[in-house]
Amino acid sequence: IKPENLLPWAQSAMEKSYVPHSNRPAGVMLRTERGEMSDGCSIETINYDGLSAVEVALGRLFSAQPWADHKEQLQRISDAVFMTPDLDPTDPSTYVPDARSLEWLHKFGSRQTVLRFATPAERIRATHRLADLLPHAQKLADMKVYYN
């Protein structure tokens, strides 16, 4: 499946986001090395510390497989398509997921995991390898983050 074909699923996930406080919906579609896919949306609490779209997608992915699969052969995330309406083409910092999402992608992906960032117009605006974004995880407090 081409990355562009994952955009409708990422958009559908984004549209299911529960973000009454920030009004910053986000969706993601994750794909493993074996081709398994899982989508997730952001879910927010009053203190903005809810679940990121990546956390929701990982939870869905894990709950769909037997626990033994995770213990014996951890499935690595090979690529992810992020969808949010507020990507600013003039501001590269809007293409960086929040620090928690980067941490989860690092744990269950690899340095070669490909991250694509798109808008609801179904246009991929940026593509990065996880390794290219990891050095920035510590600096996210100083940046406009992708989503809360």
Side-chain angles (χ1 to χ4, degrees), residues 75-78 104-111 113 130:
Q75 284 304 296
R76 294 278 174 207
I77 303 300
S78 62
W104 285 113
L105 289 167
H106 180 260
K107 175 132 180 109
F108 297 108
S110 74
R111 296 181 60 76
T113 298
L130 185 57

Side-chain angles (χ1 to χ4, degrees), residues 4 11 19 29 33 37 40 69 82 84-85 90 104 137 143:
E4 296 80 18
Q11 182 168 352
V19 290
M29 186 66 166
E33 292 170 337
M37 294 185 283
D69 282 356
F82 291 87
T84 188
T90 64
W104 285 113
M143 300 173 71

Side-chain angles (χ1 to χ4, degrees), residues 45-84:
T45 61
I46 197 162
N47 66 358
Y48 298 96
D49 188 31
L51 296 171
S52 73
V54 169
E55 291 169 312
V56 172
L58 283 171
R60 290 171 51 104
L61 184 66
F62 279 29
S63 65
Q65 297 178 18
W67 173 245
D69 282 356
H70 302 298
K71 281 182 11 184
E72 296 169 13
Q73 183 178 355
L74 179 65
Q75 284 304 296
R76 294 278 174 207
I77 303 300
S78 62
D79 59 323
V81 174
F82 291 87
M83 175 76 66
T84 188

